[in-house]
Amino acid sequence: MKKYDEMDDFNEYVQRRKKTSKLEPYKPKIDEWLEEDKRVKAKQRHTARRIYRRLCEEYPDFPLSERTVRAYVRRKKKELYSNEGYLPLNHPGGEAQADFGHAQFIEKGKGTTLHYLNLSFPYSNGGYFQLFRGENLECLLEGLKNIFEHIGKVPRRIWFDNLSPVVKKILDGGEREVTEKFYRFCQHYGFEPVFCNPGRGNEKGNVENKVGYNRRNFFVPIPRIENLEDYNKKLLTLSEKDMERPHYQKGKNIKELFLEEKEKMLLLNEKPLDISRVQKAKTDKYGMLRFENNRYSVSPKHAETEVWLKIGASEIEILDEDYRVLVKHPRLYGHNLQSLNWYPYLETLSRRPRALKYTGFYRELPPIWQEYFESCDYQEKKNSLKLLVKMLRETDMETARRALEISQKSERCTAETIFLSYRRLIQEEPSPFETGNKVPRLQAYTTDFKEYDSLVGERK
């Protein structure tokens, strides 16, 4: 073979063919979008499908399939985020992680979405949770307070997301400027708050897993709730019962491990902390005020005046300028809702009974009371409204309804007869007088009228 005569290297080399992809002209644009994604949160980054659709929108004659785009995006993302792998963390005892989850519930017969605060302890894998109607600062603090008081200890450090009700601003160097109420809460109980990097929920992966675990194990099937406060007490007990199982890795019971790490926690401050916050508000000409896009009634006497709001997780108290309670409302969660406590308005209505039919209170009355007021003249309506104020202050609308129902069985139903029926309903039966053993028992005496009959007969 003549071609080998002048060769001194007999290795076989494979020539690589340079393959040109039809995607090549579009790669710079895809790379640009993916580079921009590194500056936003993970949940708002481009998916491969979104990139494909954008290419089709910007290049009407885009010739390639979604599958081809997907393959390139997968490789590129792996290259861009290859340095963001997870590290196994060793959690010292006595620390906790906090996060909210949400699930469906049936509260007083109606379906609703409620939020549950989870406090997990990575060392033992124990945890507690509490249920609320929102994820605001008051819900967070009340949930933590309930758990602290239940276990009698406070974790040394607690990891949080950058919750907007807590973190006012992320400063240079990663420091956080927190709200004053949250700062006071931390100082009162003595724990150190630690915040995850933005978009890095995996830094508190234990509680992230606990959120899903609690939903699957405690909220399936959908729970029925009558009283949220009572249900939260039950959840604390259920949380402890759930710890009576082996740890997934340490070969010990979770409850045993949790008792160990409780020894590393802080003592509970014996002075209770009021977690509600106070702020000013002004009522309108109807004696109503607006808070968080919802309306609350106060009183006609306090129309167009400044009042104080004492805001809790589930209740709002409205106070006058001397901090005396005017009225209490359940805290509303939603938009354009109203909480109407008509009792303060009834006194005004009793002086202007003709306005009754045009108020929202009238529509909330039981039908039996609506029909009764329709049949009343001016003075009787006035008297009955005053009576209704008294009954509602002392008892409730159901008792007032029963009193009217009983009174209507009489010949004439008036404010006086309704009041008599009401007093009979609420009056307690006196307990029978019990005599001691030292009191002698008297023999029963029966009158014999025959002697009287004989006297009458002699007189005749």
Side-chain angles (χ1 to χ4, degrees):
M1 294 260 188
K2 187 176 181 180
K3 68 176 180 177
Y4 295 121
D5 290 345
E6 298 178 359
M7 290 180 59
D8 57 0
D9 184 2
F10 291 89
N11 288 302
E12 291 186 284
Y13 293 97
V14 178
Q15 289 188 347
R16 295 184 179 180
R17 295 174 58 191
K18 191 172 181 179
K19 190 175 181 181
T20 304
S21 169
K22 292 183 179 180
L23 188 63
E24 207 65 38
Y26 308 98
K27 285 182 180 180
K29 179 58 70 175
I30 297 173
D31 294 349
E32 179 186 335
W33 292 339
L34 293 176
E35 284 289 344
E36 290 174 354
D37 277 354
K38 294 185 73 175
R39 295 192 290 272
V40 301
K41 292 183 178 181
K43 291 183 178 180
Q44 286 187 271
R45 292 173 181 170
H46 283 82
T47 62
R49 172 166 291 182
R50 180 58 185 146
I51 286 177
Y52 172 72
R53 289 179 176 175
R54 284 194 68 179
L55 289 169
C56 292
E57 290 168 4
E58 297 192 17
Y59 305 96
D61 297 325
F62 184 69
L64 300 170
S65 67
E66 183 178 339
R67 183 178 178 181
T68 304
V69 175
R70 280 182 176 277
Y72 177 74
V73 170
R74 189 185 310 114
R75 291 195 303 272
K76 189 65 180 178
K77 280 190 174 183
K78 190 174 181 180
E79 176 187 325
L80 290 172
Y81 302 108
S82 61
N83 61 338
E84 296 188 5
Y86 301 143
L87 295 174
L89 300 177
N90 182 26
H91 298 283
E95 296 189 356
Q97 299 176 358
D99 199 7
F100 277 101
H102 62 272
Q104 294 298 306
F105 297 84
I106 298 174
E107 186 179 14
K108 296 181 179 179
K110 295 183 179 179
T112 185
T113 300
L114 297 177
H115 305 257
Y116 56 105
L117 172 69
N118 305 265
L119 188 69
S120 72
F121 299 86
Y123 173 81
S124 64
N125 201 34
Y128 293 88
F129 58 108
Q130 292 283 272
L131 196 59
F132 298 97
R133 293 188 176 86
E135 297 184 9
N136 53 47
L137 180 61
E138 291 73 39
C139 293
L140 172 67
L141 300 187
E142 184 171 311
L144 292 174
K145 179 184 175 184
N146 290 348
I147 295 169
F148 294 167
E149 291 179 349
H150 180 76
I151 65 177
K153 287 291 188 75
V154 178
R156 292 183 176 276
R157 305 174 83 200
I158 303 179
W159 293 75
F160 297 92
D161 274 333
N162 295 280
L163 301 169
S164 56
V166 172
V167 178
K168 293 167 63 175
K169 188 178 180 181
I170 300 178
L171 306 174
D172 294 338
E175 294 294 322
R176 268 51 168 197
E177 181 184 345
V178 299
T179 57
E180 183 181 353
K181 190 69 183 180
F182 180 76
Y183 177 77
R184 287 179 176 272
F185 184 85
C186 298
Q187 293 299 307
H188 182 85
Y189 288 107
F191 69 89
E192 177 191 357
V194 184
F195 297 96
C196 298
N197 291 311
R200 293 292 183 270
N202 57 283
E203 293 178 357
K204 53 179 184 55
N206 184 266
V207 74
E208 297 278 350
N209 292 331
K210 192 69 75 177
V211 168
Y213 175 86
N214 289 337
R215 184 188 294 114
R216 293 188 299 272
N217 288 273
F218 295 100
F219 304 146
V220 178
I222 296 176
R224 294 179 176 272
I225 302 172
E226 290 300 321
N227 183 288
L228 194 56
E229 185 178 350
D230 292 341
Y231 189 75
N232 271 334
K233 292 177 182 176
K234 179 182 175 183
L235 289 181
L236 293 171
T237 304
L238 289 174
S239 297
E240 289 193 335
K241 190 174 181 181
D242 182 64
M243 293 187 205
E244 297 173 356
R245 57 190 174 90
H247 189 279
Y248 66 94
Q249 192 177 44
K250 296 183 178 179
K252 280 187 176 182
N253 192 285
I254 291 176
K255 190 170 185 179
E256 183 182 349
L257 291 167
F258 181 68
L259 291 174
E260 286 178 12
E261 70 170 329
K262 274 184 71 173
E263 297 300 318
K264 301 178 182 179
M265 295 185 198
L266 304 170
L267 293 175
L268 179 68
N269 191 332
E270 294 181 357
K271 295 181 180 179
L273 180 68
D274 185 357
I275 60 93
S276 59
R277 60 187 168 96
V278 177
Q279 72 177 53
K280 278 257 185 180
K282 187 173 182 179
T283 62
D284 59 20
K285 63 181 180 180
Y286 302 106
M288 305 279 289
L289 61 83
R290 183 171 288 276
F291 171 70
E292 292 182 338
N293 298 314
N294 297 310
R295 299 184 75 213
Y296 297 84
S297 65
V298 185
S299 168
K301 293 180 181 179
H302 295 84
E304 297 184 320
T305 60
E306 285 192 335
V307 293
W308 291 101
L309 300 182
K310 189 177 180 182
I311 306 154
S314 57
E315 185 180 69
I316 289 181
E317 293 183 9
I318 301 175
L319 318 173
D320 65 13
E321 59 182 4
D322 295 319
Y323 295 94
R324 292 179 298 226
V325 178
L326 299 175
V327 65
K328 296 180 181 181
H329 290 277
R331 184 171 178 175
L332 300 174
Y333 288 87
H335 295 281
N336 298 320
L337 304 177
Q338 289 191 111
S339 179
L340 303 175
N341 185 337
W342 284 98
Y343 305 158
Y345 291 78
L346 283 175
E347 291 183 2
T348 302
L349 281 172
S350 67
R351 295 191 294 271
R352 300 171 57 192
R354 291 192 180 94
L356 173 64
K357 192 173 181 180
Y358 305 100
T359 64
F361 174 73
Y362 180 80
R363 293 189 294 273
E364 294 180 8
L365 285 171
I368 189 172
W369 271 100
Q370 292 184 21
E371 293 168 7
Y372 169 71
F373 281 126
E374 282 288 329
S375 65
C376 290
D377 59 23
Y378 178 85
Q379 189 59 44
E380 190 62 36
K381 188 180 292 185
K382 191 172 183 177
N383 295 338
S384 298
L385 277 168
K386 289 180 180 179
L387 173 61
L388 187 56
V389 172
K390 178 178 177 61
M391 291 190 291
L392 292 179
R393 280 180 175 168
E394 293 180 356
T395 54
D396 52 31
M397 183 60 80
E398 176 57 24
T399 306
R401 186 196 66 77
R402 288 174 60 202
L404 176 58
E405 190 176 53
I406 294 169
S407 178
Q408 286 185 335
K409 294 177 182 178
S410 60
E411 292 183 4
R412 187 164 178 264
C413 180
T414 63
E416 288 80 7
T417 61
I418 297 170
F419 179 68
L420 289 173
S421 301
Y422 168 70
R423 296 310 302 175
R424 291 193 194 100
L425 278 173
I426 66 172
Q427 186 176 8
E428 295 182 357
E429 291 291 331
S431 57
F433 178 74
E434 295 183 2
T435 61
N437 295 328
K438 296 181 180 179
V439 179
R441 295 185 177 278
L442 299 176
Q443 292 183 351
Y445 177 79
T446 305
T447 305
D448 187 357
F449 291 99
K450 291 180 181 179
E451 297 294 332
Y452 294 97
D453 290 341
S454 63
L455 291 174
V456 171
E458 289 180 2
R459 191 175 178 181
K460 286 182 179 180

